Amino acid sequence: MSVTPENIGDLSRRALLQRAAAAGLLATPAMGLLSACAGSEPEKKDTGGAAKSKDNPFGVKDGSAVKVVIFNGGLGDQWAKEDKVIFSAKHPNVTVNMSSTQKIKTEEQPKMATQPSDLVMNSGADMMDRSTLINEGAIEPLDDLLTAPAWDSEGTVADSLLPGTVGDGTQNGKFYVVNVAYTVWGNWYNAALFKKEGWQAPTTWDEFFALAPKIKAKGMAPYVHDAVHGYYPRWALMASIWKTAGKQVVVDIDNLKENAWKADGVLKALEPWEKLVKDKLLLPGKLDHTQSQQAWLDGKAAFIQVGTWLKNEMSATIPPGFELTLSDYWHNADDKAPKDVFAASGEGFVVPSKAPNKEAAKEFLRAILSKAGSAKFAELTKSLASTKGSGDNVQDSALASANSLMKNGGSELISVKFQDFYADLDKESQNLSEELMAGRLTAQQFVDKMQAAADKVAKDSSIKKQTRTA
């Protein structure tokens, strides 16, 4: 699978695989991450202390070592190996110990209270809950990274990042998560097939429902999606709510405003999804992300909703002549924000507060966000990096369709924050999204249940509340 562009937020895809393991993060039921340490504190190594300069703004010390953990999901890990080469060219006397895994929480969480890795890509279905990490002081604020000089361009690191990247990684007024991918979400189709059949890719729900019988007549399902991981359908549902009801309604939802889920436009946004299910336009079967994507590639369905990591994740099984093309989520005729695109940064890196070599971890992040590193990322993953201009020189039709979607989009980027703010609400939204897309809930029932879940969080004084302003 992946934001992550894995939370695009962690745009994560794994933005954003977004928070499937949000519940159960704590090391024990009664103990937090930093209080769960068994035994004495490990002896801290002397890793910093070198002279600081434009090329070494954090004072990384020669002879030190930095441990980097990569999430090896839909984007692979070859791009990170290229970053290791870029880093080592500038710091040849610093040892980079890099490993890759899909079990981030399983392998990295137990070490957070003792001696964690220096830099962790917190993504995938087994990711650690971000709010808990922040609230327990388990990860380091990285505001000094934003003000550091960019690796190989003018200005600061912050200056080099695409819109939304800083905001996606910020919580409680501090910057904690460095999202390195930039994901665009929408409905994918095979342009070669559509040309052959003389079909026009729909832009509205009415156009889709008019096209659906023609698709079914060819023996294909009009639509397929991941029916196992609830954050997949939730992306589409929340994008529809933004388009129909407008940005302020989603901001109110994120801020737990009273009756925000019952605002004008929310139900209307969800009703076409209910109709899609009721009209049996979904490919039958409880398929996960790769199974649904393969079914689409095999011609069993005309559309699939997923992010721009799709091509890289499925590169080994894309049929010859298959033209992966991304179109925007469909809208209604009178929506408030029909052209706004769902795009965000994702695939987030964190630096544990007890990391032995935070200086080198931050320096490695500078390398990842460099022009050279981001260009390699786009080349290898066929996805945008969160650094400006990453895809400028990549010749790829799938990436080009995502770029075109971004260029022709509205004035705002669709973004949703509540899943980053509240683990329990995140989990419930995933469960209810699955239920709606399985036909076991109506759109009205979905709205009522989400409002009840939001009310429960709002009334719980033990839960630290977050506020979104933009």
Side-chain angles (χ1 to χ4, degrees):
M1 310 178 272
S2 181
V3 138
T4 354
E6 254 156 294
N7 173 200
I8 206 106
D10 222 294
L11 140 309
S12 202
R13 168 198 187 171
R14 310 249 197 239
L16 293 98
L17 293 170
Q18 294 336 22
R19 302 103 189 162
L25 173 74
L26 298 183
T28 67
M31 300 171 68
L33 288 172
L34 299 185
S35 62
C37 174
S40 60
E41 285 276 325
E43 181 181 350
K44 292 188 177 181
K45 298 178 182 178
D46 179 18
T47 54
K52 296 182 180 181
S53 65
K54 182 179 180 181
D55 278 340
N56 189 7
F58 303 110
V60 179
K61 187 175 181 179
D62 281 351
S64 67
V66 58
K67 181 171 175 51
V68 180
V69 179
I70 303 298
F71 171 71
N72 190 6
L75 299 174
D77 62 359
Q78 184 58 44
W79 59 271
K81 296 174 183 176
E82 298 292 337
D83 292 325
K84 179 178 177 180
V85 173
I86 292 169
F87 177 91
S88 296
K90 186 171 286 191
H91 299 285
N93 297 318
V94 177
T95 301
V96 179
N97 297 313
M98 180 178 288
S99 61
S100 300
T101 183
Q102 292 192 5
K103 298 293 185 181
I104 297 296
K105 185 176 78 168
T106 300
E107 296 176 7
E108 295 303 312
Q109 177 185 308
K111 298 184 286 187
M112 295 294 281
T114 53
Q115 187 162 315
S117 303
D118 298 297
L119 182 61
V120 179
M121 187 176 179
N122 185 36
S123 188
D126 190 40
M127 71 186 297
M128 299 179 285
D129 177 54
R130 163 173 144 164
S131 287
T132 305
L133 291 174
I134 292 170
N135 292 337
E136 295 214 357
I139 56 176
E140 189 80 358
L142 299 172
D143 299 271
D144 55 347
L145 173 66
L146 294 177
T147 58
W151 184 273
D152 53 4
S153 60
E154 295 299 317
T156 65
V157 168
D159 294 333
S160 72
L161 300 176
L162 284 170
T165 305
V166 173
D168 289 338
T170 298
Q171 193 163 319
N172 302 339
K174 295 182 179 180
F175 182 67
Y176 287 97
V177 182
V178 180
N179 293 318
V180 299
Y182 206 78
T183 297
V184 186
W185 283 268
N187 294 315
W188 290 87
Y189 66 98
N190 177 6
L193 171 67
F194 275 57
K195 291 173 188 174
K196 176 185 175 183
E197 299 294 343
W199 297 338
Q200 183 69 36
T203 59
T204 68
W205 278 108
D206 286 344
E207 291 171 354
F208 167 71
F209 288 123
L211 178 61
K214 299 177 183 179
I215 296 172
K216 292 185 75 172
K218 293 294 182 179
M220 304 175 68
Y223 210 81
V224 67
H225 75 107
D226 179 345
V228 174
H229 301 100
Y231 41 82
Y232 274 80
R234 184 186 62 198
W235 290 327
L237 300 180
M238 293 308 302
S240 292
I241 290 172
W242 179 296
K243 284 177 173 290
T244 303
K247 173 184 177 178
Q248 187 58 50
V249 168
V250 175
V251 172
D252 290 343
I253 285 172
D254 290 338
N255 289 341
L256 303 177
K257 183 177 179 181
E258 186 176 2
N259 289 325
W261 282 94
K262 297 185 177 182
D264 289 345
V266 175
L267 181 60
K268 182 180 178 181
L270 300 174
E271 287 175 335
W273 292 103
E274 180 183 345
K275 175 177 171 58
L276 185 152
V277 176
K278 284 186 174 181
D279 288 358
K280 300 187 184 304
L281 304 182
L282 274 176
L283 183 68
K286 192 174 177 65
L287 307 178
D288 67 13
H289 58 292
T290 53
Q291 290 170 335
S292 58
Q293 289 162 191
Q294 190 59 54
W296 175 69
L297 290 172
D298 291 340
K300 295 179 181 179
F303 290 99
I304 186 169
Q305 84 85 21
V306 72
T308 41
W309 64 85
L310 172 64
K311 184 169 185 176
N312 190 70
E313 187 162 63
M314 305 304 293
S315 59
T317 59
I318 298 173
F322 198 105
E323 296 181 22
L324 290 85
T325 306
L326 181 64
S327 63
D328 198 7
Y329 288 113
W330 305 312
H331 61 270
N332 298 298
D334 55 351
D335 281 356
K336 289 187 176 180
K339 297 194 72 177
D340 286 0
V341 175
F342 189 13
S345 61
E347 307 299 334
F349 278 89
V350 297
V351 177
S353 296
K354 293 194 174 185
N357 198 352
K358 297 177 204 173
E359 298 82 8
K362 295 176 186 179
E363 184 71 347
F364 200 91
L365 285 169
R366 279 210 315 138
I368 291 175
L369 299 173
S370 67
K371 289 176 64 176
S374 62
K376 275 293 183 182
F377 180 94
E379 175 190 339
L380 292 167
T381 68
K382 303 300 185 290
S383 298
L384 295 174
S386 58
T387 303
K388 295 174 182 176
S390 66
D392 288 352
N393 297 316
V394 179
Q395 301 301 313
D396 179 79
S397 59
L399 187 57
S401 69
N403 281 333
S404 176
L405 185 58
M406 288 287 292
K407 290 178 181 178
N408 295 316
S411 58
E412 297 273 3
L413 292 179
I414 295 171
S415 63
V416 185
K417 303 292 187 184
F418 72 83
Q419 70 267 19
D420 290 326
F421 292 166
Y422 308 109
D424 289 343
L425 191 56
D426 168 34
K427 183 176 178 61
E428 183 69 358
S429 72
Q430 292 186 41
N431 292 339
L432 294 177
S433 296
E434 288 182 37
E435 292 294 290
L436 175 64
M437 295 303 291
R440 293 188 289 268
L441 284 181
T442 65
Q444 183 65 63
Q445 288 170 329
F446 177 92
V447 168
D448 292 342
K449 288 179 179 293
M450 280 304 306
Q451 186 61 64
D455 290 343
K456 182 178 180 181
V457 173
K459 293 174 182 177
D460 189 338
S461 60
S462 69
I463 299 176
K464 182 178 177 63
K465 303 303 188 293
Q466 309 294 334
T467 301
R468 171 183 180 175
T469 58

